[in-house]
Amino acid sequence: MSETALAKTIEREVARRRTFGIISHPDAGKTTLTEKLLLFGGAIQMAGTVKSRKASRHAVSDWMAMEKERGISVTSSVMKFEYKDYEINLLDTPGHADFSEDTYRVLTAVDSALMVIDCAKGVETQTRKLMEVCRLRDTPIISFINKLDRDGRDPFDLINDIEEHLNIECAPMTWPIGMGLDFRGTYNIATKTLHLFDSNRGDRIQEGTTISLDDPRLDEILGEQAAQIRDDVELIQGAANPFDKEKYLAGKQTPVFFGSAINNFGVQELLENFVELAPAPFPRPTTTRDVAPTESSFSGVVFKIQANMDPRHRDRIAFMRINSGRFVRGMKVRHHRIGKDIQIKDATIFMAQDRANVDTAFPGDIIGVHNHGTIRIGDSFTDKEPLKFTGIPDFAPEHFRRVRLKDPMKSKQLHKGLVQLAEEGAVQLFRPLINSDYILGAVGVLQFEVIVARLKNEYNVDALYEPVALHTARWVSADDPKALDSFRDKYKGDLALDATGDLVFMPNSMWRLESTIERSPEITFTKTREHN
Ligand code: G4P
């Protein structure tokens, strides 16, 4: 293909890519909505196919059950499907508060987000946290208020709730007619179309009926509710913010849709608007410059690693988001952190129920690359210019455990298991300078249970935890290597190396941290660390 033809192809492919994540508080309907979106995209034929990943937010036992299922129906953390002329990549964002670090990193790989809110509950804690993450990058967000077939809060109240608690302007795109048993459908404010709800058609696409508000037939169809919707629409048109694409793209305004995912209601309308409104891949920052997706040179960054995705193959997959150019199977790319060229022969693309070998992929697409331990979260790959994508951090853990083996003969397996599981980034592994302990650090405590269960299940290692008197962790560095050396000598007992060999200060109290910072002006202490 000539240079110009390639440039044209890339431009066209970028324009039709939509890469997004769904954010919501557990139970708001993320799984159901995901499934319905896949249904509309033709990626699955029947509802009930996508196994819920919600187990991960409850107990370890649920999590293990989910793992078992994983080998059979590949519930991937990335799902690709087509809708009309669009190629959509849906990235799963784990819902539990404990997974926030992982979620944060997944959200670095999306171009926009879809927020699901339960109409009875409004904004919940997890919605708030995820929204904070989105705000860090001004990610554009479309909102879907779900479960209108159940009694919920007044729609005006819900809009206020979002505006107040999530600090984002709302632009209603549709408006519900009644709720719960009285739910009759939605009114599309832009197209002035009434979509009537039929509760028996949850498995099918519900067609809208076009009817204007002053049409007398509206009274026949809706009875008393006709007056209500007329009043509501008048109110919204007077009081609500009109949709403003610029504001939406800047993450300052969220268009709001109402519906019922389980009944398929409002989902197609949502999807249709989503593909039109949501942004295609946009330029991504590196340490040297912003990289535009339409550049013809290939570049990509790994934002997630998962070990043992398929228990039958014991593989470790690095999820790479393509940021520019075109990926072609078998291409050679430079792995910049280790300074080596690697050939990607068998990258995988993830569909709802399957994975397949990928021949070509474009910016916005996520490919799975087999990882034999050389790839880490944050690694950048290009075919020419050395680039290092930024914005994928590690966070200082707040909980710590010392790992102990039940069977000392298994120390090799323990080491391997811990290193591989820590690669996924949900826990961090530290080795103190003064002994050979394994210290795990996590942002949320559920991770510890998960790791012990996975050590047993995937590595056949019985391990247990001991409490350890550590309070927090800070990465330490200094401009003057001598200063770092003397700091290392002086505080040996409080220092450890993380999995990448970086020095970490791990004090047993806040007081010790503060006093050490005060006494060590030449040392920089950081709470987050960019992967390097
Ligand atoms: P999550 O991934 O956000 O955690 O939510 P999920 O889709 O699993 O939905 C949570 C519960 O809400 C499920 O019920 C689901 O069926 C229900 N639900 C989702 N969308 C709607 C809707 O539009 N209307 C109503 N009435 N319910 C909805 P469950 O009883 O917890 O599970 P299940 O046994 O139905 O699977």
Side-chain angles (χ1 to χ4, degrees):
M1 200 184 281
S2 76
E3 276 288 313
T4 11
L6 177 63
K8 273 209 171 122
T9 306
I10 295 172
E11 201 171 312
R12 192 181 60 236
E13 294 297 333
V14 167
R16 66 192 198 98
R17 291 288 185 291
R18 297 290 181 269
T19 301
F20 78 109
I22 303 187
I23 58 174
S24 70
H25 188 86
D27 272 344
K30 186 177 74 164
T31 311
T32 311
L33 183 65
T34 300
E35 186 170 272
K36 301 297 170 143
L37 292 173
L38 296 173
L39 201 63
F40 282 104
I44 56 173
Q45 265 64 52
M46 241 170 56
T49 321
V50 177
K51 292 284 177 268
S52 168
R53 285 178 63 87
K54 66 183 176 180
S56 57
R57 72 177 182 260
H58 291 311
V60 173
S61 55
D62 290 345
W63 189 87
M64 294 310 294
M66 175 189 95
E67 285 300 288
K68 268 192 204 138
E69 273 171 9
R70 211 158 51 167
I72 309 158
S73 86
V74 182
T75 304
S76 175
S77 27
V78 181
M79 285 158 272
K80 188 176 185 57
F81 63 99
E82 284 174 22
Y83 182 71
K84 296 193 167 164
D85 198 29
Y86 295 93
E87 293 264 343
I88 303 176
N89 295 296
L90 201 177
L91 273 60
D92 190 41
T93 52
H96 196 282
D98 271 9
F99 284 87
S100 53
E101 240 193 306
D102 196 22
T103 305
Y104 180 92
R105 287 190 287 254
V106 169
L107 287 174
T108 64
V110 303
D111 298 308
S112 71
L114 197 61
M115 174 165 73
V116 187
I117 287 180
D118 183 326
C119 73
K121 297 192 178 138
V123 172
E124 298 176 83
T125 45
Q126 190 70 3
T127 341
R128 221 172 284 181
K129 282 190 194 166
L130 289 161
M131 181 71 191
E132 279 167 26
V133 174
C134 288
R135 178 152 290 131
L136 293 171
R137 308 167 70 86
D138 296 326
T139 307
I141 294 169
I142 292 181
S143 302
F144 183 72
I145 298 184
N146 190 27
K147 307 197 187 179
L148 268 286
D149 59 312
R150 280 201 195 153
D151 284 325
R153 289 163 61 175
D154 176 78
F156 286 103
D157 186 27
L158 286 162
I159 296 284
N160 279 341
D161 191 31
I162 298 176
E163 295 203 324
E164 207 172 290
H165 291 113
L166 300 180
N167 197 17
I168 189 165
E169 203 177 285
C170 287
M173 306 295 273
T174 62
W175 200 255
I177 306 159
M179 259 192 195
L181 286 177
D182 296 329
F183 180 55
R184 302 298 301 275
T186 53
Y187 179 75
N188 186 315
I189 294 164
T191 61
K192 298 188 167 49
T193 317
L194 199 66
H195 283 247
L196 292 179
F197 173 61
D198 175 353
S199 62
N200 297 321
R201 299 189 54 185
D203 58 340
R204 278 188 287 157
I205 297 167
Q206 305 212 14
E207 300 287 340
T209 316
T210 312
I211 185 166
S212 78
L213 278 184
D214 40 15
D215 192 320
R217 279 184 302 156
L218 195 69
D219 301 270
E220 278 166 41
I221 301 167
L222 294 182
E224 281 173 12
Q225 283 173 301
Q228 176 74 44
I229 185 70
R230 283 189 187 114
D231 284 354
D232 281 1
V233 170
E234 206 179 304
L235 249 176
I236 307 157
Q237 275 161 349
N241 307 297
F243 174 65
D244 179 331
K245 192 157 184 182
E246 300 264 296
K247 278 191 183 171
Y248 157 66
L249 292 177
K252 305 275 180 269
Q253 187 191 70
T254 176
V256 181
F257 293 83
F258 290 84
S260 165
I262 199 120
N263 291 296
N264 263 356
F265 193 82
V267 178
Q268 192 175 25
E269 205 167 22
L270 174 74
L271 186 55
E272 236 151 57
N273 280 278
F274 168 79
V275 291
E276 296 287 333
L277 303 177
F282 44 78
R284 302 251 147 189
T286 71
T287 48
T288 42
R289 64 182 186 87
D290 281 1
V291 174
T294 45
E295 292 180 20
S296 53
S297 296
F298 169 85
S299 70
V301 63
V302 170
F303 63 95
K304 180 184 172 84
I305 287 182
Q306 200 166 332
N308 308 321
M309 271 209 29
D310 182 343
R312 290 166 304 184
H313 294 112
R314 300 225 145 258
D315 51 357
R316 284 137 91 197
I317 301 279
F319 290 83
M320 186 193 295
R321 178 187 153 116
I322 299 175
N323 283 343
S324 67
R326 178 178 62 156
F327 170 82
V328 182
R329 190 214 287 243
M331 86 187 287
K332 236 189 213 164
V333 295
R334 187 108 180 132
H335 183 342
H336 288 288
R337 185 176 48 78
I338 60 171
K340 273 197 180 142
D341 286 338
I342 59 165
Q343 193 184 16
I344 306 182
K345 276 185 265 183
D346 52 355
T348 307
I349 204 125
F350 304 90
M351 267 99 53
Q353 290 171 281
D354 215 348
R355 343 183 188 169
N357 267 331
V358 53
D359 292 323
T360 50
F362 293 91
D365 287 341
I366 313 297
I367 57 172
V369 179
H370 288 278
N371 177 22
H372 305 288
T374 52
I375 304 179
R376 289 193 208 136
I377 291 171
D379 280 347
S380 303
F381 296 81
T382 68
D383 62 354
K384 278 198 193 102
E385 185 186 345
L387 290 170
K388 166 85 190 85
F389 288 98
T390 57
I392 306 187
D394 266 332
F395 296 88
E398 281 150 27
H399 305 278
F400 301 88
R401 298 283 188 276
R402 182 184 289 119
V403 186
R404 277 274 179 266
L405 263 181
K406 283 190 192 158
D407 173 2
M409 301 299 287
K410 290 274 177 76
S411 70
K412 245 188 172 167
Q413 284 97 315
L414 176 75
H415 181 82
K416 182 177 164 195
L418 287 175
V419 167
Q420 293 193 357
L421 295 174
E423 258 174 17
E424 294 185 13
V427 291
Q428 294 173 50
L429 181 61
F430 302 98
R431 308 299 307 271
L433 293 190
I434 52 163
N435 58 42
S436 54
D437 283 353
Y438 288 97
I439 306 289
L440 286 187
V443 176
V445 285
L446 177 80
Q447 287 307 323
F448 293 127
E449 285 178 68
V450 170
I451 293 294
V452 154
R454 289 187 65 185
L455 280 172
K456 173 86 189 122
N457 205 37
E458 293 165 29
Y459 299 90
N460 197 21
V461 173
D462 277 311
L464 44 90
Y465 292 121
E466 287 175 354
V468 53
L470 294 173
H471 182 76
T472 187
R474 292 289 182 275
W475 283 275
V476 288
S477 59
D479 291 336
D480 176 5
K482 276 197 206 129
L484 196 60
D485 283 347
S486 75
F487 180 79
R488 185 196 294 256
D489 284 344
K490 197 164 165 197
Y491 292 97
K492 208 177 263 162
D494 298 300
L495 289 167
L497 295 179
D498 71 6
T500 59
D502 284 343
L503 201 58
V504 188
F505 182 66
M506 302 175 87
N508 59 10
S509 69
M510 205 57 195
W511 177 83
R512 181 147 180 90
L513 174 67
E514 279 162 10
S515 64
T516 310
I517 292 176
E518 212 164 280
R519 276 189 236 131
S520 320
E522 67 290 0
I523 302 292
T524 311
F525 295 77
T526 49
K527 238 179 144 171
T528 57
R529 187 198 64 151
E530 276 277 326
H531 285 265
N532 52 27

